[in-house]
Amino acid sequence: RAAAGRHLTCPAYDVIGRFPSPHHDVVVNKQTRYFKYVNTLHFSTNASNDTDEDDETMTASQREIFWNDNFEALKAYKSTHGDTSVPATYLENPQLGNWVDNQRQLYRMRQEAEENGITTTYEFITAERIDRLNSIGFVWNANDAAWNLRFEELKQYIEEHGNSCVPGIYLENEPLGLWVAKQRRTYKVKHRVKLEAKKKNREEGKDLAAETSLSGERIDK
């Protein structure tokens, strides 16, 4: 229970819709938090689209037809491009890019509901639709897919050049050069944070040892 006069706040959800860390002082129950999340999630839509899967005026059968039409369009996209990673700004079919992004969001919402033990009548994405998308190699996490692609390209570069020193400006594959530079920066930042944390812990340990020594207590218990 909260102390009298104390205001409790719930931290905002992050940009990709994950639940707050369990370490936060969140006092509202999980279901209340989750339904706030569902109600505030806005699916990406394109102003030029006349219909959208989240249009409340659509009947169940119309939604099914809409989903199947986009699924077939995605299969055609894969036949042409070799993957299912439709850009959100896919000019040839803007609606398809939005639909693909929606499937990822719905899948993530379903996973997070299950992981947090939340039961709801809200239908995210059915197991049958998940299976159908998996059957054509659907990419559920675009960031992971992009990282894995660059990693495979780096392995190929190492085979050809004998090292992983991809130039920052690598004309043969500019995205690879930028990705390698980013990995190095990320590593340096994380390494520096770890060193600073260790330094802080050592300093706090020294302060504690000094205080304990002055109090006359043993510090080697």
Side-chain angles (χ1 to χ4, degrees):
R1 293 175 62 87
R6 184 181 175 189
H7 297 284
L8 298 174
T9 58
C10 179
Y13 296 97
D14 66 25
V15 293
I16 61 172
R18 288 197 177 97
F19 289 97
S21 165
H23 300 294
H24 284 297
D25 184 20
V26 181
V27 294
V28 291
N29 67 63
K30 289 188 297 184
Q31 289 189 339
T32 301
R33 292 204 315 269
Y34 193 70
F35 286 116
K36 279 185 179 180
Y37 163 54
V38 171
N39 290 333
T40 56
L41 178 65
H42 298 286
F43 291 102
S44 57
T45 55
N46 188 283
S48 63
N49 294 340
D50 294 325
T51 57
D52 186 84
E53 191 175 9
D54 304 301
D55 186 349
E56 294 181 357
T57 65
M58 293 176 67
T59 65
S61 60
Q62 288 175 324
R63 290 174 188 273
E64 187 68 20
I65 292 172
F66 181 85
W67 196 94
N68 288 330
D69 286 347
N70 279 282
F71 180 71
E72 292 303 318
L74 180 58
K75 287 168 63 178
Y77 177 94
K78 183 179 181 181
S79 297
T80 302
H81 298 86
D83 59 56
T84 60
S85 301
V86 185
T89 54
Y90 182 47
L91 298 181
E92 293 184 29
N93 188 348
Q95 179 176 271
L96 181 60
N98 292 332
W99 180 83
V100 165
D101 184 59
N102 280 358
Q103 305 316 300
R104 291 181 180 136
Q105 292 188 56
L106 291 168
Y107 180 74
R108 184 166 59 242
M109 289 166 66
R110 173 180 170 137
Q111 281 189 314
E112 291 176 350
E114 292 174 350
E115 290 171 359
N116 286 272
I118 295 171
T119 56
T120 172
T121 57
Y122 186 90
E123 184 177 26
F124 301 117
I125 182 171
T126 64
E128 184 264 341
R129 287 182 175 180
I130 292 173
D131 289 341
R132 289 179 66 185
L133 289 167
N134 281 335
S135 72
I136 60 172
F138 188 76
V139 174
W140 296 106
N141 189 315
N143 291 332
D144 285 351
W147 195 96
N148 290 331
L149 173 61
R150 298 291 170 249
F151 182 69
E152 292 302 319
E153 291 175 348
L154 178 59
K155 287 165 63 177
Q156 182 63 36
Y157 180 94
I158 292 172
E159 288 184 9
E160 295 177 2
H161 298 84
N163 61 67
S164 60
C165 301
V166 185
I169 302 177
Y170 182 46
L171 298 181
E172 293 183 26
N173 188 341
E174 292 185 10
L176 177 60
L178 295 173
W179 179 83
V180 168
K182 181 180 179 181
Q183 305 313 304
R184 293 190 179 119
R185 288 196 303 271
T186 302
Y187 175 80
K188 288 179 181 178
V189 169
K190 290 184 176 181
H191 185 62
R192 184 167 64 248
V193 169
K194 286 182 179 180
L195 290 178
E196 290 174 353
K198 288 181 179 179
K199 180 180 178 182
K200 182 179 179 181
N201 290 336
R202 285 198 300 268
E203 291 174 349
E204 290 177 349
K206 289 179 180 178
D207 292 341
L208 178 60
E211 291 175 6
T212 306
S213 178
L214 289 172
S215 67
E217 298 179 5
R218 290 181 58 184
I219 61 174
D220 59 346
K221 293 180 181 179

